[in-house]
Amino acid sequence: MRIYRTPIWLQGFFKDYTWKIPTSERVIYLSFDDGPDPEVTPFVLAQLENYKAKACFFCVGDNLIKYPEIAERIRQEGHEIGNHTQHHIKGWSSRLETYIKDIQQCQENIGLPPEKTLFRPPYGRITRKQGRWVLQQGYRCIMWDILSYDYDKTLNLNDALKRIISLSREGSIIVFHDSKKAQA
């Protein structure tokens, strides 16, 4: 099964990024990328409400513009909105200036200063220069301890859940998606 925990050696190369939250409590941190989406995000929000859980939604700026009422619902229900760039661009294939502009556009749609905002690079791909700029602006760069692969249509949901639980540890950050690519 493809679900895995991010290797410690990889985390070591990017020590200024947050891969998990240091804690001794039995708690995990849920995050959702790529929304908001009018079909998937309301379902995710309903599930979180059922379990009285909170999450961070790393939103694409274009989707914030298209679905402001869903973004507002995310906030009203006590979840956090993080920056996931305006157009979900890949850092490795983007010039620094282009990447910065895309982050700034998304930030305008979020409506908070960078130092009050979490940032996650789409696909987890970001160059050192881009990452340095992100951190200098005051963003906290949130990566993940466990990638759920919820966008893999061949994944058996029960097996995937068992695998995620078995890999989770105190403070794990788990990535899911609130977009059509992950819709079951």
Side-chain angles (χ1 to χ4, degrees):
M1 183 172 294
R2 292 177 56 177
I3 298 168
Y4 71 95
R5 181 181 299 143
T6 304
I8 298 295
W9 64 265
L10 179 60
Q11 296 177 33
F13 281 117
F14 304 97
K15 292 181 183 182
D16 292 331
Y17 302 166
T18 302
W19 297 89
K20 64 181 285 245
I21 306 298
T23 183
S24 58
E25 293 181 48
R26 291 188 53 145
V27 62
I28 59 173
Y29 295 86
L30 303 175
S31 63
F32 294 87
D33 286 6
D34 305 345
D37 176 274
E39 294 175 38
V40 181
T41 307
F43 171 80
V44 170
L45 289 169
Q47 296 309 306
L48 291 169
E49 177 61 30
N50 285 343
Y51 292 96
K52 305 295 182 227
K54 299 297 177 197
C56 182
F57 289 79
F58 288 94
C59 295
V60 174
D62 279 344
N63 293 338
L64 291 170
I65 292 170
K66 289 180 200 169
Y67 312 111
E69 68 286 348
I70 301 173
E72 186 55 32
R73 181 177 168 195
I74 291 169
R75 285 187 178 103
Q76 286 180 352
E77 293 183 14
H79 306 286
E80 188 149 359
I81 291 182
N83 187 321
H84 203 48
T85 74
Q86 185 68 18
H87 303 101
H88 200 262
I89 62 173
K90 293 181 184 176
W92 290 355
S93 57
S94 301
R95 294 179 51 232
L96 177 62
E97 299 77 24
T98 303
Y99 201 72
I100 289 170
K101 183 178 178 188
D102 221 63
I103 292 170
Q104 290 172 327
Q105 276 186 287
C106 183
Q107 196 61 35
E108 288 173 20
N109 293 313
I110 292 172
L112 294 172
E115 61 274 7
K116 301 256 188 221
T117 307
L118 304 177
F119 173 78
R120 175 174 289 149
Y123 311 100
R125 296 184 177 160
I126 187 168
T127 68
R128 288 210 183 265
K129 285 183 181 179
Q130 292 163 349
R132 202 168 18 256
W133 181 88
V134 165
L135 295 172
Q136 287 171 349
Q137 300 309 301
Y139 292 97
R140 187 166 172 196
C141 192
I142 306 296
M143 300 304 270
W144 56 83
D145 187 38
I146 299 172
L147 180 59
S148 70
Y149 281 96
D150 57 350
Y151 49 84
D152 181 347
K153 298 298 182 193
T154 66
L155 207 59
N156 175 291
L157 295 180
N158 288 329
D159 291 343
L161 180 60
K162 288 177 190 172
R163 177 83 171 142
I164 290 167
I165 291 170
S166 74
L167 290 174
S168 296
R169 55 189 174 188
E170 290 84 2
S172 284
I173 298 171
I174 304 171
V175 176
F176 296 98
H177 294 82
D178 62 326
S179 60
K180 287 181 182 62
K181 70 181 178 185
Q183 191 174 22

